[in-house]
């Protein structure tokens, strides 16, 4: 018997949900059964305005025609093709289109299936890069406190969110962390990039002095930290990281799983900040969240270091069964075409000032202790309830859902990143409704 997708199953026990309070959810489930453009449809028939682009990924909105048609057509023509020693045209076409919009110097694309896999891939490439160049002592990896780089062992090792790390043992050896850039005493309620904090990048020099530059393979940071609560890079900070990394022969990796594909009004945050790393990890907006896909973009210098030895030799012993999957590649091509035809990156840049003023209008609401924004991303930080961290923001999440908007919370921070197709009236609805929610919080 066919499943009625407009009703919840009778038994929710089998699915162990990710990053979810499973017991709370299954007592009162929140089920989406449809989506179109800016809205989800719930199982009880309500429309919910998507203030988070799904999970930072549906940058072009939901069920967009070009993407839907592309994956349907590809599934009927060829469902799967191996990427090991074989190829298919769509994977190469998508790579070419990615290089076209990538920062100058990014010339090669290695496919995977998620942001987590993209991070682990980039870290492995970094260590292998130094080895093939005769610098095999460079194995140390540098992340950042409060960084989020997915959930693989590499990603949580260089990541710096405590709950993502503390349950899983010793993690990778040879990892150190830069301090985070959140300075609320100096930078609260700043619009865009904060003025204070560029000096924090100089901590990389201290770490280099501690371990020796000849031991360090790569530094990985989110140009704008998303999942930890939307932390902006202080002015000059990324530039200093680039300068110090280059000085010591260390590869710089930007994790752009969230910031890639228009979120800041440019194809990549690297272009927005005018700082080019050696590798970029991406996923989410690459296929508009429709089909799992991730990628690592590299400079020619990184790629070409591997292109040595006999031509028939495998240069990099790494990859995935679904690297460059045909249906995912078709979705990626159609997604990039949608961004281009509808000028969604430019649209995000044009809407950013309106979004900024809207979200900062919440500054006087109860319990609000900070507001941060850039591009079409924003965060509202709440004063925690004494002895009950995360509860106030989670209550806001539940009330927002009941009022017809989808927000995301991390700790006591509300994060929003709407699809780039959002209109000014929809921004007004999203922020206005959130204001009502904040007014109702205990």
């Amino acid at each position: 018997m066919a499943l009625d997708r407009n009703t919840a199953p009778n038994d929710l026990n089998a699915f162990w949900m990710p990053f979810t309070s499973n017991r709370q959810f299954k007592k009162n489930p929140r089920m989406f059964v449809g989506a179109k453009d800016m809205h989800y449809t719930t199982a009880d028939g309500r429309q919910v305005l998507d203030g988070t682009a799904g999970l930072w990924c549906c940058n072009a909105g939901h069920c967009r025609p070009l993407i839907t048609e592309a994956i349907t057509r590809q599934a009927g023509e060829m469902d799967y093709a191996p990427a090991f020693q074989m190829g298919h045209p769509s994977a190469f076409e998508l790579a070419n289109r990615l290089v076209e919009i990538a920062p100058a110097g990014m010339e090669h694309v290695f496919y995977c299936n998620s942001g987590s896999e993209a991070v682990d891939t980039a870290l492995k490439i970094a260590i292998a890069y130094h080895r093939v160049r005769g610098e095999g002592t460079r194995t140390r990896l540098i992340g950042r406190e409060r960084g989020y780089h997915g959930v693989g062992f590499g990603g949580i090792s260089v990541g710096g969110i405590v709950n993502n790390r503390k349950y899983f043992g010793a993690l990778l050896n040879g990892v150190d962390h830069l301090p985070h850039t959140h300075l609320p005493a100096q930078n609260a309620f700043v619009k865009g990039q904060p003025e204070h904090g560029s000096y924090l990048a100089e901590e990389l020099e201290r770490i280099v002095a501690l371990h020796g530059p000849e031991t360090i393979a790569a530094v990985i940071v989110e140009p704008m930290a998303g999942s930890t609560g939307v932390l902006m890079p202080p002015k000059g900070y990324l530039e200093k990281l680039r300068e110090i990394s280059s000085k010591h022969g260390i590869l710089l990796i930007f994790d752009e799983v969230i910031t890639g594909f228009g979120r800041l009004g440019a194809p990549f945050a690297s272009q927005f900040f005018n700082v080019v790393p050696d590798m970029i990890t991406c996923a989410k907006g690459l296929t508009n969240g429709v089909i799992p896909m991730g990628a690592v973009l590299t400079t020619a210098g990184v790629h070409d270091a591997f292109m040595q030895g006999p031509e028939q030799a495998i240069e990099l012993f790494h990859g995935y069964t679904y690297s460059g999957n045909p249906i995912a590649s078709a979705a990626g091509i159609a997604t990039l075409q949608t961004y281009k035809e509808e000028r969604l990156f430019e649209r995000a840049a044009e809407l950013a000032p309106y979004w900024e003023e809207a979200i900062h209008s919440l500054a006087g609401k109860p319990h609000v202790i900070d507001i941060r924004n850039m591009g079409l991303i924003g965060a509202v930080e709440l004063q925690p309830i004494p002895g009950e961290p995360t509860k106030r923001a989670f209550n806001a999440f539940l009330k927002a859902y009941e009022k017809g908007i989808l927000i995301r919370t991390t700790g006591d921070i509300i994060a929003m990143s709407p699809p780039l197709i959002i209109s000014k009236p929809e921004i007004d609805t999203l922020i206005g409704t959130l204001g009502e929610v904040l007014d109702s919080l205990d």
Side-chain angles (χ1 to χ4, degrees):
M1 183 174 68
L3 173 67
D4 183 354
R5 292 178 177 82
N6 292 316
T7 62
N10 291 327
D11 188 352
L12 306 183
N13 186 58
F15 179 22
W16 189 349
M17 300 171 68
F19 281 108
T20 297
S21 47
N22 277 254
R23 290 163 297 170
Q24 187 275 343
F25 177 90
K26 291 172 183 179
K27 287 180 180 178
N28 187 21
R30 299 171 293 277
M31 292 286 190
F32 290 142
V33 298
K36 180 61 179 170
D37 297 333
M38 279 297 304
H39 291 83
Y40 282 105
T41 302
T42 66
D44 57 356
R46 296 188 304 114
Q47 293 291 291
V48 175
L49 181 64
D50 185 1
T52 61
L55 198 59
W56 310 91
C57 51
C58 303
N59 291 1
H62 297 278
C63 294
R64 302 308 312 278
L66 282 180
I67 306 170
T68 302
E69 293 164 7
I71 61 177
T72 301
R73 182 171 58 252
Q74 182 62 59
E77 293 175 355
M78 181 171 65
D79 52 354
Y80 177 81
F84 299 0
Q85 303 288 10
M86 298 297 297
H88 65 88
S90 295
F92 292 90
E93 176 63 22
L94 176 58
N96 290 333
R97 296 195 185 197
L98 284 171
V99 168
E100 285 179 4
I101 66 170
M106 292 287 163
E107 298 182 13
H108 300 278
V109 178
F110 193 102
Y111 291 118
C112 51
N113 309 290
S114 67
S116 296
E117 289 184 0
V119 165
D120 280 14
T121 295
L123 298 179
K124 289 177 71 176
I125 288 174
I127 293 171
Y129 164 81
H130 292 294
R131 185 181 181 91
V132 299
R133 294 175 65 253
E135 296 187 73
T137 58
R138 287 185 181 264
T139 59
R140 185 171 293 277
L141 303 168
I142 310 301
R144 187 169 60 188
E145 297 168 359
R146 294 190 66 168
Y148 180 75
H149 302 292
V151 294
F153 271 100
I156 61 175
S157 296
V158 296
I161 297 178
V162 61
N163 283 339
N164 291 353
R165 295 165 51 88
K166 67 182 181 181
Y167 297 100
F168 305 111
L171 308 182
L172 296 185
N173 293 322
V175 175
D176 210 333
H177 290 79
L178 293 162
H180 63 71
T181 62
H182 189 40
L183 301 172
Q186 296 99 326
N187 294 328
F189 297 98
V190 167
K191 296 178 179 179
Q193 271 190 284
E195 295 287 340
H196 304 286
S198 66
Y199 64 88
L200 292 166
E202 295 168 6
E203 282 293 303
L204 181 55
E205 287 281 19
R206 182 190 62 80
I207 293 173
V208 169
L210 174 65
H211 299 293
E214 71 281 1
T215 71
I216 302 175
V219 175
I220 182 169
V221 297
E222 302 157 272
M224 185 227 69
S227 293
T228 192
V230 185
L231 306 183
M232 306 303 167
K235 291 179 180 178
Y237 174 85
L238 296 174
E239 291 86 345
K240 286 187 179 182
L241 280 186
R242 174 71 278 181
E243 178 186 346
I244 297 169
S245 298
S246 298
K247 172 183 173 183
H248 295 292
I250 299 166
L251 295 181
L252 179 61
I253 304 168
F254 278 0
D255 183 341
E256 295 224 35
V257 171
I258 283 176
T259 55
F261 305 104
R263 183 53 52 191
L264 300 183
F268 293 93
S270 171
Q271 292 144 317
F272 180 84
F273 294 115
N274 196 29
V275 178
V276 180
D278 300 290
M279 285 187 272
I280 289 174
T281 64
C282 61
K284 293 188 184 292
L286 172 56
T287 59
N288 201 45
V290 175
I291 298 286
M293 192 179 214
V296 178
L297 280 59
T298 79
T299 61
V302 170
H303 169 272
D304 293 351
F306 291 87
M307 301 299 131
Q308 311 296 329
E311 284 192 3
Q312 74 275 11
I314 294 172
E315 297 96 0
L316 180 64
F317 284 84
H318 176 71
Y320 302 93
T321 300
Y322 305 107
S323 292
N325 174 273
I327 298 174
S329 297
I333 293 169
T335 296
L336 295 187
Q337 190 66 26
T338 299
Y339 293 149
K340 181 178 181 180
E341 289 184 3
E342 299 183 14
R343 297 182 65 255
L344 292 186
F345 300 165
E346 295 86 351
R347 178 183 177 83
E350 292 161 3
L351 280 173
Y354 191 88
W355 169 258
E356 177 175 89
E357 293 306 313
I359 194 168
H360 277 273
S361 72
L362 301 172
K365 294 296 182 180
H367 312 298
V368 173
I369 60 174
D370 193 15
I371 293 175
R372 302 181 285 275
N373 74 282
M374 188 171 289
L376 284 187
I377 297 179
V380 178
E381 186 160 0
L382 305 180
Q383 180 71 45
I385 297 173
E388 297 183 285
T390 78
K391 184 175 180 180
R392 178 166 280 144
F394 189 69
N395 286 343
F397 164 76
L398 295 176
K399 290 186 176 187
Y401 174 76
E402 291 303 320
K403 284 181 169 289
I405 61 170
L406 181 65
I407 60 175
R408 174 166 164 70
T409 63
T410 175
D412 274 294
I413 300 165
I414 295 168
M416 291 176 290
S417 57
L420 310 184
I421 63 171
I422 194 170
S423 65
K424 289 181 178 180
E426 288 166 335
I427 291 175
D428 294 342
T429 297
L430 177 63
I431 301 302
T433 303
L434 179 58
E436 295 173 6
V437 168
L438 295 174
D439 285 334
S440 72
L441 292 178
D442 296 327

